[in-house]
Amino acid sequence: MNRAIRFYEKFFEQPVSIRDDVFSIFIVHGFRYCLFNNQAVNDPVTWGDNCLPSIEVDDIHEAYNKVKELGCPIVFELTRIGDNMVFEFTDSEGNDIEVYAKASWG
């Protein structure tokens, strides 16, 4: 949990808002991004990879450069898909995260 908190504090550029042994929550513009510590409640990890967390940003290039600086593997390179620019990276805990923004060119 401490490693994940440090990572997301750098990613969101703000300290964790709420923290206890089970949950750490970042409140970003009214949106709550929660880290769940399953080990704290002896809950085995049984979920799969059928749901991809996705974060919308204003500046896709800034976000892309930030995750590169944080040493994150890029698992889907920055690509235009329809009206969006999208990339995916693996966070400090091995979770794949999608980042997208409205495309700024025609």
Side-chain angles (χ1 to χ4, degrees), residues 29-46:
H29 303 291
F31 174 80
R32 299 166 71 87
Y33 188 85
C34 179
L35 301 172
F36 173 65
N37 186 358
N38 61 302
Q39 292 176 340
V41 294
N42 296 318
D43 185 17
V45 176
T46 58

Side-chain angles (χ1 to χ4, degrees), residues 35-105:
L35 301 172
F36 173 65
N37 186 358
N38 61 302
Q39 292 176 340
V41 294
N42 296 318
D43 185 17
V45 176
T46 58
W47 52 84
D49 60 357
N50 63 339
C51 182
L52 181 67
S54 184
I55 301 170
E56 182 177 8
V57 298
D58 292 329
D59 187 332
I60 194 75
H61 299 288
E62 178 183 354
Y64 182 84
N65 290 334
K66 183 181 293 185
V67 298
K68 295 283 280 188
E69 289 171 11
L70 291 170
C72 300
I74 302 296
V75 296
F76 183 81
E77 280 295 334
L78 185 58
T79 304
R80 184 176 179 142
I81 300 176
D83 293 333
N84 296 311
M85 293 297 298
V86 178
F87 73 93
E88 294 174 20
F89 70 95
T90 302
D91 74 3
S92 63
E93 306 312 301
N95 302 300
D96 286 355
I97 307 292
E98 176 186 73
V99 180
Y100 71 97
K102 295 297 178 195
S104 59
W105 66 82

